[in-house]
Amino acid sequence: MTIERQEIEKLATLSRLSIDDKTIAEVTERLSSVLSLVDQLQTADTSSVTGMERPFHNAQRLREDQVTESSQRESFQAIAPETHNELFSVPKMIE
Amino acid sequence: MKWETVIGLEVHVQLATKTKIFSGASTAFGAEPNSQACAIDLAMPGTLPVLNKQAVNYAIMFGLAIDAEICQNSVFERKNYFYPDLPKGYQTTQLDKPIVGPGIVTIEGADGSDKAIRIHHAHLEEDAGKSIHDGDLPHGTSGVDLNRAGTPLIEIVSEPDISNAYEAVAFAKKLHSIVTSIGICDGEMSQGSMRFDVNVSVRPAGSSVLGTRTETKNLNSFKFMEEAIAKEVERQIDILEDGGSITQETRLYNGDTKIAKSMRSKEEANDYRYFPCPDLLPVLVSDEEINILRASLPELPDIRQKRFVSEYKLSDYDAKLIASDSSMAAFFETAATLSKNPKLAANWTMGELSAALNGANLNFSSSPVTADQLAGMITRIADNSISGKMAKVVFDAMWQGEGNADLIIEAKGLKQVSDSGALEQIVSDVLQANPSMVDDFIATDESKRKKKLGGFMGQIMKASKGQANPQQVNKILLSKLNKLL
Amino acid sequence: MHNKTIAELIEGLQKKTFSSVELTEHFLARISQLNAQFNAVITVTAEQALAAAAKADERLAGGNAPAMCGVPILHKDIFCTDGVRTSCGSKMLDNFVPPYNATVVDNFVRDGAVMLGKTNMDEFAMGSSNETSFYGPVKNPWALDCVPGGSSGGSAAAIAARLAPGATATDTGGSIRQPAALCGISGLKPTYGRVSRWGMIAFASSLDQAGPMARTAEDCAILLNSMASFDDKDSTSVDKLVPNYCASLNNPIKGLRIGIPREYFSEGLHPGTEQAVKKALANLEGQGAELVDISLPSSHLSVPAYYVIAPAEASANLSRFDGVKYGYRCDDPKDLQDMYCRTRQEGFGEEVQRRILIGTYCLSAGYYEAYYGKAQQVRQLIQQDFDDAFKSVDLIMGPTCPSPAFKFGSKGDDPVAMYLEDIYTIATNLAGLPGMSIPCGFVEEKPVGLQIIGNYFDEAKILNAAHQFQQSTDWHKQAPEGSL
């Protein structure tokens, strides 16, 4: 399995990673190598199984609808990159 | 060419839980920014979700209310995209195995006949936070308030069974009525408790192929939704009639400026990369749990409407109007039961009281006039203690907080005069004081005399300060005039 | 003092032979003296440690203190520690000081253990050599030019170098067992759901599991007694009674049926490693265990399945690192997209970015079924292999990794070469089974690990076999030169 440069660019956009032109060839080569490894999956006969998402088939536990958290805004915002008037501050979003 | 409109709705309903869907932080409206965003809501590293039982129960109750199949093994998935108001970088939602399967919501179409709108499914998910773009913000920045992040929602997805804006609004109002009646949503549209995404396409009348659709997102009032659909249908027809084609896109409608625009600014095609959330296990629901919820389900508006017709002898129209709003219905039932006069209770609830509440931006649960007070007033109308006209004065006084009807009638001296001796005296006085009117009455042809009675009535009511019982006065007046002929 | 096991330290503390403060001072001194050559510890919390030790001494004086009371340990820097930087080995979290503790950390606080500091690791636990850490590689105390393994290389090296008697670690595809093997110590990855994941920074949520590292199996049992708990804050935590893992250590292993999967002794296995493992198996046979030849036919698919599932989950788990709420944000972003892309490109290292891209690819439209869907099916095949095997055996044993510690940079260019390092360990993560590595010999003067895999929640059985092996061998007592 090889992967095209444009595909890498699309993946980078989806994952919000900027990949510069210098490294894209290397990234492409290494990803292709990993994808050749995972392509071995295609040889498996999986007609007998449905798929497994997690080790156990337990049920989700449900929590009572009780307020257990009080405001910790100060301690959380103390470690935020940028805040203004109690809001997390980010470069302007275009609507 | 004649065109046909095809509409499907996606409705986001905020569930009236005390806490978030995956955390124990409060969902109360109007708190200070970020004061209700806990470590889980902020997606702090290492934090994990635990599902709120009440949110699951509310979703199941909705499913039962629309006769849908409940998925007994529903699964949460991650929908991946980046946005500052989405702290984890994915929304936890449901896709392949939503908790509520196909169901039906019946609406009344523009011609008054019933129409079934199919529900494709309804799923549980978390709300995002709020992005703030204006106000006191440093230049070039937006602010993010994550209080709303993690608020439980059900997203109700309809089939494209809706044919026009009228039906879309009827459908939305019906959903509003259902979710508030069963108590799973507060229904406060102005606080974003219900939001609508509208998928609209048009096609030549009679065609069986669907046209390209657009999605107008995040409409938070029935009125805006109606306007947005009307505008979008018109826009699409204009384009098609000019030989153009519709672009599949997401649009935004601004209810204040009445302008709709495309959100095409982001060129990239979205690829949400859904996959089952490994932090949450399948939600298993037993038959027993479903049965318990079914038994506890409050009365649905359609059933309530039928009951109002049979139990209180209301007209279909009145019953429907009152039954659709659960707090109005509860108010009506109390007033009707206490006053033993459902007809008057219905008239006053739908008429004077509704108008007053609307004018003051209040609802039935916060009405300054209680059902008890209204019933007291209706009792006095029914026993002829006050006239309809006086009742309006009493109602206004009750609205102002002056106490119950009897107190006001007493204090303001509004009691109707039904003592025949006193009434005979007033009528005689008026006839004596207006000889020319009496002469005119006698001179009038018999067939037209009835019209002349109004003048006497006006004088008599004036003389009695409006307290004379009109039916009694009418009787006395006629007999006195007849004697003069 | 630093050559004593945790069991011995507990005895000394309880008998007041030495105090926790003395013990803590001793290990803090060793860290400040020796850590520079290993780079195993990246944050030292001397002040808090001494305060905790003083408190532990009070509890010890009062009597009835829990076993771990006063014992100094290190935490892998993947566990959130209230008020102490938790970096996960990444520039992204270099400035991150959480205002909360992981449940694992809280459990040790509850039992009076003393945190000496935080250990180095591969960035976001993605690596098998500790070369991906933002804080530089950890050096293997047995051979300073070789890797300690990863991702829990800091914890493993610190124990081997006697900088601490025990440490916490995590294992997503072998990250406890492989570094334990390469550093000549003992390390246990419990059953998925046995130890809470709350406050443990997620790599691949359906595979991640925390576990103990120490020099002996007995010490691992003592640590697991504190670590394991049901936690209602973690939906995947299993509500099952935690046994006393020390209680069954001395049971005889006569009649124990040990499965030897032939797939674990095929090409790619270093002959020296094979010889050491076979010798260890012979020892157990000598104690009355029965060796049973078994097959795990889907073994060869575990690495490919893992490198779909783990990156897919990671690609979503790492989306929260976006420069908005905490952690690194790039300088002077020109707009929102620039902030996202540069924050993540500058904040994440190369391997982390590679795995995000692979995960994104495997989940994207058109590829989901062929990769993610298929990998889930293969995962089930792998689980069925184990289910079948455990019908006829009590434990499964084989090598932990194909060869002893390798030189820095030797698996540099091709990521796949590094991924194959976990070829014997990954399957147990996919199945959710417990697995352990204990020292069983040396090759080229570097340690070799014996892997012991148990059925679900059979940690006690694994620890029992490991302890019995250690009662009749002294591989676990060997110390690297620089640590004496």
Side-chain angles (χ1 to χ4, degrees):
Chain A
M1 179 79 203
T2 52
I3 187 162
E4 302 292 325
R5 184 194 173 105
Q6 282 150 298
E7 219 157 1
I8 300 279
E9 282 167 354
K10 193 188 137 205
L11 294 175
T13 308
L14 280 173
S15 347
R16 299 293 184 276
L17 292 168
S18 54
I19 299 178
D20 55 44
D21 279 347
K22 282 188 301 212
T23 54
I24 196 153
E26 198 182 317
V27 171
T28 307
E29 186 194 318
R30 292 185 177 183
L31 280 194
S32 296
S33 149
V34 176
L35 290 173
S36 319
L37 168 77
V38 302
D39 266 340
Q40 290 172 33
L41 288 175
Q42 309 313 329
T43 64
D45 175 6
T46 51
S47 51
S48 64
V49 287
T50 52
M52 166 183 168
E53 282 139 16
R54 49 182 69 80
F56 299 112
H57 300 286
N58 293 350
Q60 174 62 36
R61 272 192 307 279
L62 302 177
R63 174 177 62 76
E64 292 303 320
D65 185 24
Q66 303 287 346
V67 176
T68 54
E69 304 298 317
S70 50
S71 177
Q72 286 188 70
R73 182 174 62 202
E74 269 177 46
S75 61
F76 290 144
Q77 295 206 334
I79 54 171
E82 214 175 314
T83 60
H84 181 77
N85 284 352
E86 282 87 45
L87 299 170
F88 293 97
S89 207
V90 296
K92 191 150 189 80
M93 294 174 237
I94 309 148
E95 250 194 291
Chain B
M1 190 184 285
K2 271 200 72 153
W3 298 93
E4 191 174 274
T5 306
V6 179
I7 300 169
L9 253 60
E10 287 164 27
V11 184
H12 290 91
V13 175
Q14 274 187 1
L15 299 176
T17 54
K18 293 193 205 79
T19 64
K20 306 277 177 81
I21 185 167
F22 299 124
S23 82
S26 170
T27 55
F29 183 80
E32 274 187 42
N34 290 308
S35 62
Q36 291 177 175
C38 73
I40 295 171
D41 306 326
L42 291 175
M44 300 295 277
T47 59
L48 295 166
V50 183
L51 184 57
N52 183 337
K53 182 178 189 170
Q54 189 69 293
V56 174
N57 285 349
Y58 281 170
I60 294 171
M61 284 165 72
F62 174 75
L64 295 172
I66 62 160
D67 252 336
E69 198 175 304
I70 305 301
C71 177
Q72 293 181 267
N73 180 13
S74 72
V75 170
F76 281 97
E77 311 223 8
R78 294 179 177 181
K79 177 184 182 179
N80 294 286
Y81 66 94
F82 284 88
Y83 208 66
D85 62 18
L86 188 73
K88 296 192 293 285
Y90 57 82
Q91 182 193 31
T92 308
T93 178
Q94 300 187 308
L95 182 72
D96 280 342
K97 288 184 171 179
I99 188 147
V100 175
I104 296 279
V105 170
T106 307
I107 61 161
E108 195 178 286
D111 63 355
S113 65
D114 278 355
K115 180 170 179 179
I117 307 296
R118 290 170 301 155
I119 302 298
H120 180 272
H121 77 269
H123 63 257
L124 271 167
E125 63 181 25
E126 59 183 338
D127 210 341
K130 263 186 189 153
S131 304
I132 291 147
H133 308 290
D134 37 33
D136 174 28
L137 293 168
H139 179 72
T141 72
S142 295
V144 183
D145 173 8
L146 295 171
N147 278 353
R148 201 180 65 182
T151 298
L153 300 175
I154 48 171
E155 181 176 335
I156 303 162
V157 181
S158 87
E159 296 284 359
D161 291 350
I162 298 164
S163 311
N164 51 53
Y166 180 89
E167 287 180 8
V169 171
F171 175 72
K173 284 186 172 166
K174 188 59 174 283
L175 287 180
H176 184 272
S177 165
I178 292 171
V179 297
T180 53
S181 290
I182 61 175
I184 66 168
C185 174
D186 66 15
E188 296 294 345
M189 310 278 289
S190 61
Q191 295 173 6
S193 294
M194 261 181 107
R195 310 191 295 268
F196 309 98
D197 298 345
V198 189
N199 292 295
V200 176
S201 65
V202 298
R203 62 184 174 192
S207 163
S208 60
V209 184
L210 285 172
T212 304
R213 66 185 163 87
T214 63
E215 182 178 27
T216 304
K217 272 193 176 299
N218 240 339
L219 298 157
N220 64 356
S221 88
F222 301 129
K223 185 167 149 260
F224 293 164
M225 183 172 75
E226 191 166 15
E227 291 169 3
I229 292 172
K231 271 192 192 292
E232 179 58 15
V233 168
E234 196 183 296
R235 187 187 73 90
Q236 291 191 13
I237 292 175
D238 282 351
I239 291 173
L240 294 172
E241 291 194 332
D242 288 347
S245 61
I246 308 298
T247 312
Q248 182 164 351
E249 62 185 1
T250 302
R251 298 176 66 80
L252 273 183
Y253 177 73
N254 184 326
D256 298 324
T257 60
K258 313 286 176 210
I259 291 169
K261 65 174 185 199
S262 168
M263 282 176 74
R264 243 176 313 175
S265 53
K266 281 184 220 120
E267 281 296 323
E268 80 176 88
N270 268 324
D271 181 346
Y272 292 122
R273 293 156 284 137
Y274 284 93
F275 74 104
C277 179
D279 287 331
L280 290 161
L281 304 173
V283 183
L284 303 190
V285 186
S286 68
D287 288 338
E288 194 194 344
E289 285 165 308
I290 292 175
N291 288 335
I292 290 170
L293 287 171
R294 199 194 304 275
S296 73
L297 204 63
E299 189 175 39
L300 291 166
D302 285 357
I303 293 164
R304 187 156 57 209
Q305 180 188 339
K306 289 194 185 101
R307 184 168 62 82
F308 282 3
V309 172
S310 65
E311 198 173 323
Y312 298 115
K313 311 285 178 257
L314 297 189
S315 69
D316 282 342
Y317 179 86
D318 289 358
K320 182 178 179 175
L321 202 144
I322 297 174
S324 69
D325 179 332
S326 58
S327 59
M328 185 181 190
F331 192 100
F332 158 75
E333 286 214 78
T334 311
T337 312
L338 291 173
S339 69
K340 302 187 181 63
N341 196 322
K343 179 69 193 147
L344 277 178
N347 287 348
W348 278 89
T349 306
M350 293 185 303
E352 212 74 21
L353 181 55
S354 280
L357 290 172
N358 270 339
N361 242 330
L362 294 170
N363 54 41
F364 279 90
S365 40
S366 57
S367 168
V369 177
T370 65
D372 192 30
Q373 288 177 321
L374 191 71
M377 188 194 82
I378 289 166
T379 307
R380 293 295 160 250
I381 300 172
D383 70 7
N384 281 325
S385 294
I386 52 168
S387 64
K389 208 167 177 182
M390 283 301 121
K392 289 196 172 39
V393 178
V394 174
F395 178 84
D396 287 342
M398 291 196 300
W399 183 270
Q400 296 304 325
E402 293 174 28
N404 61 30
D406 285 349
L407 210 76
I408 291 163
I409 293 167
E410 182 66 33
K412 293 195 189 272
L414 299 174
K415 200 172 168 65
Q416 188 158 259
V417 180
S418 305
D419 169 14
S420 46
L423 289 177
E424 293 221 13
Q425 189 56 52
I426 294 171
V427 174
S428 299
D429 289 351
V430 167
L431 293 182
Q432 249 168 34
N434 296 284
S436 57
M437 275 174 76
V438 175
D439 291 346
D440 180 43
F441 180 82
I442 295 166
T444 305
D445 183 76
E446 200 186 336
S447 64
K448 292 175 181 163
R449 276 186 195 141
K450 228 180 172 174
K451 287 192 180 165
K452 297 287 177 185
L453 288 175
F456 292 109
M457 284 301 285
Q459 293 289 330
I460 293 162
M461 292 314 279
K462 201 171 159 189
S464 75
K465 296 183 187 129
Q467 282 165 268
N469 180 325
Q471 286 91 29
Q472 246 176 313
V473 167
N474 201 41
K475 231 167 81 187
I476 295 167
L477 180 63
L478 274 173
S479 84
K480 280 193 190 291
L481 285 170
N482 283 338
K483 280 181 193 160
L484 295 172
L485 289 171
Chain C
M1 202 133 60
H2 51 270
N3 278 316
K4 288 193 187 326
T5 64
I6 291 176
E8 289 161 353
L9 293 176
I10 289 170
E11 203 190 339
L13 285 166
Q14 305 269 350
K15 284 189 179 156
K16 319 278 188 302
T17 314
F18 41 79
S19 70
S20 175
V21 169
E22 285 167 335
L23 201 53
T24 302
E25 280 171 343
H26 178 77
F27 280 107
L28 286 172
R30 279 189 68 82
I31 291 170
S32 72
Q33 193 189 338
L34 298 170
N35 184 52
Q37 47 178 316
F38 308 119
N39 195 28
V41 183
I42 51 177
T43 303
V44 181
T45 52
E47 212 173 296
Q48 290 106 309
L50 290 168
K55 241 173 93 183
D57 282 331
E58 280 173 36
R59 274 176 89 177
L60 285 160
N64 272 334
M68 278 301 291
C69 191
V71 178
I73 55 166
L74 288 162
H75 286 304
K76 186 177 180 179
D77 210 23
I78 200 168
F79 294 101
C80 286
T81 40
D82 193 351
V84 175
R85 180 186 69 182
T86 301
S87 72
C88 222
S90 182
K91 180 180 177 185
M92 188 61 93
L93 292 178
D94 182 44
N95 63 359
F96 178 63
V97 179
Y100 51 91
N101 271 341
T103 297
V104 162
V105 173
D106 267 340
N107 285 356
F108 279 113
V109 170
R110 173 200 66 204
D111 290 350
V114 174
M115 175 175 81
L116 297 168
K118 310 287 294 282
T119 60
N120 203 350
M121 57 183 283
D122 276 302
E123 185 180 10
F124 284 102
M126 295 176 186
S128 306
S129 67
N130 232 294
E131 291 168 296
T132 73
S133 170
F134 173 63
Y135 301 96
V138 177
K139 294 185 180 128
N140 191 321
W142 292 95
L144 292 176
D145 57 345
C146 285
V147 306
S151 67
S152 311
S155 291
I159 292 164
R162 274 70 173 158
L163 303 183
T168 56
T170 62
D171 190 316
T172 305
S175 281
I176 288 177
R177 291 158 289 161
Q178 185 253 10
L182 268 45
C183 289
I185 62 156
S186 303
L188 171 68
K189 175 205 104 71
T191 307
Y192 182 79
R194 177 77 289 184
V195 176
S196 170
R197 293 189 297 117
W198 172 266
M200 181 180 123
I201 299 174
F203 161 15
S205 312
S206 78
L207 303 163
D208 295 344
Q209 182 60 204
M213 278 182 162
R215 290 205 304 280
T216 68
E218 183 184 18
D219 287 359
C220 285
I222 295 167
L223 291 169
L224 187 61
N225 279 343
S226 285
M227 281 180 96
S229 64
F230 167 64
D231 186 2
D232 58 14
K233 290 191 286 188
D234 172 3
S235 296
T236 62
S237 171
V238 177
D239 191 359
K240 197 174 163 70
L241 193 80
V242 179
N244 176 359
Y245 293 105
C246 296
S248 47
L249 289 174
N250 291 316
N251 290 355
I253 57 162
K254 189 169 176 5
L256 188 80
R257 291 164 306 164
I258 300 171
I260 316 297
R262 65 187 77 114
E263 291 81 5
Y264 285 22
F265 293 86
S266 53
E267 62 166 320
L269 179 61
H270 189 291
T273 301
E274 180 170 357
Q275 208 177 11
V277 169
K278 287 200 163 149
K279 226 176 119 192
L281 294 170
N283 171 301
L284 292 163
E285 198 175 22
Q287 296 190 47
E290 181 192 343
L291 303 187
V292 184
D293 176 45
I294 62 163
S295 173
L296 300 170
S298 300
S299 290
H300 65 290
L301 295 170
S302 60
V303 172
Y306 177 89
Y307 278 96
V308 171
I309 293 165
E313 292 183 10
S315 72
N317 281 336
L318 269 58
S319 291
R320 65 188 61 200
F321 304 106
D322 59 2
V324 177
K325 292 117 6 206
Y326 44 75
Y328 179 75
R329 178 190 285 197
C330 69
D331 288 335
D332 305 317
K334 67 177 198 288
D335 57 31
L336 184 65
Q337 296 314 317
D338 185 49
M339 182 196 77
Y340 279 143
C341 295
R342 277 204 294 124
T343 293
R344 290 165 62 78
Q345 192 260 326
E346 294 166 17
F348 290 139
E350 194 189 314
E351 179 64 21
V352 171
Q353 293 189 46
R354 177 152 56 231
R355 298 211 195 178
I356 291 172
L357 291 170
I358 292 165
T360 303
Y361 179 82
C362 294
L363 290 173
S364 58
Y367 298 108
Y368 181 92
E369 277 312 319
Y371 289 100
Y372 190 76
K374 190 78 175 176
Q376 301 284 31
Q377 291 174 332
V378 167
R379 188 174 183 181
Q380 198 176 346
L381 292 178
I382 288 163
Q383 188 188 38
Q384 285 177 357
D385 280 1
F386 283 111
D387 280 351
D388 290 344
F390 281 117
K391 281 176 194 153
S392 54
V393 300
D394 301 303
L395 295 171
I396 292 170
M397 294 195 196
T400 305
C401 25
S403 47
F406 47 90
K407 287 202 161 61
F408 286 106
S410 63
K411 301 198 176 179
D413 276 349
D414 184 5
V416 172
M418 185 74 81
Y419 296 172
L420 292 172
E421 184 64 17
D422 295 326
I423 192 162
Y424 304 132
T425 48
I426 274 175
T428 55
N429 296 82
L430 291 169
L433 293 165
M436 186 167 192
S437 179
I438 54 170
C440 71
F442 287 85
V443 176
E444 299 155 6
E445 291 167 352
K446 290 179 286 193
V448 174
L450 170 72
Q451 185 177 210
I452 310 174
I453 300 165
N455 208 341
Y456 297 109
F457 299 101
D458 272 352
E459 287 83 1
K461 210 180 269 182
I462 295 175
L463 288 163
N464 171 216
H467 182 67
Q468 290 307 307
F469 178 75
Q470 291 181 343
Q471 292 304 98
S472 65
T473 57
D474 64 357
W475 304 115
H476 59 286
K477 291 182 180 159
Q478 308 298 313
E481 248 172 63
S483 71
L484 295 171

